[in-house]
Amino acid sequence: LPTANPQILQILDYINAHLTEDLSVDRLCEHLHLSRRKLYEYSEEFLHCSIAKYIKKMRLQHAQTLLSETNLPISTISEQCGFSDYNYFCRIFKQENGMSARSYRTAQQT
């Protein structure tokens, strides 16, 4: 992790603490007292991707954990990971992991 920059650590902490909420760029900027430009600069420099892509990645990682460690319905997991649209979650999960959330869960249990 990029420990050299306290600002990026604040950004990452905030994202992790609010993963299930609506994490808009405006909200991040407002909470962290950053300009959009600065947020984008930090994101590219330290995360090597857009802030939206990073948030999506973290949400999907959280979903993988919940799929592996709980028996929660996939629709509940989708909500708990900050995806308001279940179908979008299913599509993105499959796109990023090469298998559906249901298949992922089954593969983790064997």
Side-chain angles (χ1 to χ4, degrees):
L1 271 172
T3 51
N5 188 308
Q7 199 79 50
I8 194 72
L9 292 177
Q10 268 190 306
I11 293 168
L12 299 180
D13 285 347
Y14 186 81
I15 289 171
N16 287 332
H18 300 272
L19 211 50
T20 62
E21 300 164 27
D22 174 30
L23 275 173
S24 67
V25 168
D26 289 337
R27 187 166 170 196
L28 276 169
C29 291
E30 185 181 320
H31 179 80
L32 298 163
H33 309 292
L34 285 173
S35 67
R36 279 175 161 260
R37 181 185 168 116
K38 208 61 182 156
L39 181 64
Y40 290 139
E41 283 176 15
Y42 285 138
S43 175
E44 290 300 327
E45 183 178 347
F46 294 104
L47 305 174
H48 311 292
C49 64
S50 71
I51 201 76
K53 197 172 210 164
Y54 178 78
I55 291 168
K56 183 170 71 172
K57 183 173 123 184
M58 297 314 294
R59 285 178 168 163
L60 288 170
Q61 282 181 6
H62 186 52
Q64 288 174 329
T65 302
L66 292 175
L67 287 165
S68 300
E69 298 176 3
T70 73
N71 290 320
L72 290 169
I74 294 171
S75 58
T76 303
I77 289 173
S78 164
E79 284 174 30
Q80 287 188 3
C81 293
F83 291 94
S84 56
D85 182 335
Y86 175 70
N87 291 321
Y88 173 74
F89 167 76
C90 291
R91 192 169 63 247
I92 292 301
F93 190 93
K94 187 170 187 173
Q95 185 180 316
E96 296 293 321
N97 294 287
M99 64 177 76
S100 69
R102 185 169 277 104
S103 298
Y104 183 87
R105 171 176 269 166
T106 304
Q108 298 305 304
Q109 292 171 345
T110 55

